[in-house]
Amino acid sequence: MKPGSEQLRSILILILVNVGIILLLSFLSPTFLTYDNLLSVLKRMSELGMLAIAETIVFISGGFDLSIGTIMAISGLIVGQMYILGFPFFLCILLALLGGMAAGLMNALFIVKLRLQPFIVTLATMSIFRSIVYGVLHGKTLSQFPDSYLAYGDLTILGLPFLFIVLVIFAVLSTLFLERTYLGRHIFAVGGNERSAFLSGISVDQIKYTVYILSGFISACAGLLFSMRIRAVIPDAGLNSPLEVVTAVVIGGTAITGGKGSVIGSILGVLALFLLTNGFSLLNLNPFWQLVVLGLLLIYVVGREGISKALLGKRLKKKTPQTVGTK
């Protein structure tokens, strides 16, 4: 199932929303359109965009993954700890990526073998992985990385941040994977109707393993980008990512029930969130209100159909003339 007219409409609306936010912030803040500010927005959205790609693939398959933020944190932790222990740095990166895939495999095993709900499983593993990060770091920041590695965080190519270019490459490859390969089409099929997919010969369990391992891998890559950008690993890395990512992905038109979605829409959703975040910062608004806005936005986007039906029902009820019973 490829993105149809409804998906295209969501993408076009998001493009207009982003343009509207840019025009509004350009009017409200003279520093918004400066090169340094736009560069900062693109750099900061890179790792969250990677997590959005991972979550989009999982959502399309009919799954759910709350552990993406903690996998991002733990991959950066693995790189730093292995480097401190004296491992060759390329091996440190490889171990971090394998660690992310192992975390995804752990999620898949509980979901496939024990038939547990993805929400419950990834909520539990999110807590487990976060506890490991806190336990190893003891509230401290880990910043022992090679200078050559950290240099990528400030690298620009043709005026664009290297981190953002990596995000674009992953977005293109993920889109081609979902729309142009048999495996990608099977992911859509499983998310659309798992029973029908099984009856048509698709290995549903194999798809679930693939989706969660891929999610772990992409989240681990996000952890590398994050450590390059902030030049360290912090205990709270990715703490609010699940709320931000789920909001961006749902805004982007990906169905939380599975079978429908696009990576492009999710990236545009992430961009909208970061433009708003940047606007809060430039206008000196309290950053804690961002989470309130995100929460309300998520409730509206997920429940807009029910909200619309409820409002329509009230209108119809008001318009319906009251009938008086006769004896």
Side-chain angles (χ1 to χ4, degrees):
M1 177 179 176
K2 295 181 180 180
S5 58
E6 185 180 347
Q7 189 66 52
L8 180 60
R9 185 165 60 250
S10 297
I11 291 174
L12 291 175
I13 290 173
L14 267 176
I15 291 174
L16 293 176
V17 168
N18 279 304
V19 171
I21 295 173
I22 290 172
L23 292 176
L24 179 62
L25 291 178
S26 302
F27 175 76
L28 295 176
S29 173
T31 59
F32 173 73
L33 283 181
T34 60
Y35 174 72
D36 288 341
N37 183 61
L38 295 178
L39 193 72
S40 174
V41 171
L42 294 180
K43 285 172 64 175
R44 292 178 61 237
M45 71 171 283
S46 299
E47 66 264 7
L48 198 72
M50 295 286 283
L51 296 181
I53 293 173
E55 194 70 74
T56 300
I57 296 172
V58 174
F59 271 15
I60 290 173
S61 73
F64 206 99
D65 193 351
L66 289 172
S67 65
I68 49 174
T70 49
I71 293 176
M72 181 182 79
I74 210 165
S75 70
L77 176 65
I78 291 173
V79 172
Q81 287 295 323
M82 294 300 103
Y83 181 65
I84 290 173
L85 292 175
F87 284 77
F89 197 68
F90 77 90
L91 183 58
C92 298
I93 293 177
L94 179 60
L95 289 173
L97 297 178
L98 290 175
M101 295 172 71
L105 176 60
M106 179 178 173
N107 286 333
L109 284 170
F110 284 119
I111 293 168
V112 173
K113 293 298 184 183
L114 300 182
R115 303 297 174 186
L116 299 177
Q117 290 295 320
F119 182 89
I120 301 300
V121 169
T122 56
L123 179 64
T125 55
M126 177 183 72
S127 177
I128 293 169
F129 299 150
R130 181 64 63 184
S131 298
I132 292 173
V133 174
Y134 284 155
V136 174
L137 291 179
H138 296 291
K140 299 178 182 178
T141 299
L142 192 158
S143 57
Q144 287 88 343
F145 293 99
D147 292 336
S148 57
Y149 172 76
L150 297 176
Y152 285 105
D154 297 319
L155 177 65
T156 58
I157 300 175
L158 300 177
L160 293 174
F162 169 77
L163 304 182
F164 180 72
I165 292 174
V166 172
L167 170 62
V168 172
I169 292 172
F170 267 82
V172 171
L173 292 177
S174 299
T175 300
L176 292 175
F177 166 72
L178 287 170
E179 298 183 11
R180 300 295 177 89
T181 67
Y182 283 111
L183 188 56
R185 288 192 283 271
H186 288 175
I187 290 173
F188 275 102
V190 170
N193 191 312
E194 186 174 315
R195 177 66 178 170
S196 296
F198 175 77
L199 292 175
S200 64
I202 296 175
S203 176
V204 174
D205 289 349
Q206 183 180 359
I207 292 298
K208 290 181 179 180
Y209 278 117
T210 301
V211 161
Y212 283 99
I213 291 173
L214 187 57
S215 175
F217 172 77
I218 298 174
S219 299
C221 291
L224 299 181
L225 297 187
F226 183 77
S227 61
M228 289 177 191
R229 182 175 69 83
I230 70 167
R231 309 176 72 85
V233 176
I234 58 175
D236 290 339
L239 191 63
N240 294 323
S241 294
L243 173 61
E244 296 169 334
V245 168
V246 170
T247 303
V249 170
V250 174
I251 288 173
T254 298
I256 203 168
T257 53
K260 184 181 73 173
S262 76
V263 170
I264 295 174
S266 297
I267 298 299
L268 288 172
V270 171
L271 177 60
L273 293 186
F274 269 90
L275 288 175
L276 289 174
T277 299
N278 186 245
F280 269 79
S281 176
L282 293 176
L283 300 175
N284 294 317
L285 299 176
N286 192 328
F288 292 104
W289 286 105
Q290 295 174 31
L291 295 178
V292 175
V293 173
L294 287 181
L296 292 174
L297 190 59
L298 181 59
I299 291 172
Y300 169 73
V301 173
V302 173
R304 59 188 168 189
E305 186 175 346
I307 294 172
S308 299
K309 286 181 179 179
L311 292 175
L312 181 62
K314 284 187 176 181
R315 289 177 184 174
L316 291 174
K317 191 174 181 180
K318 288 181 178 179
K319 291 181 179 179
T320 303
Q322 295 292 329
T323 58
V324 180
T326 57
K327 292 184 180 179

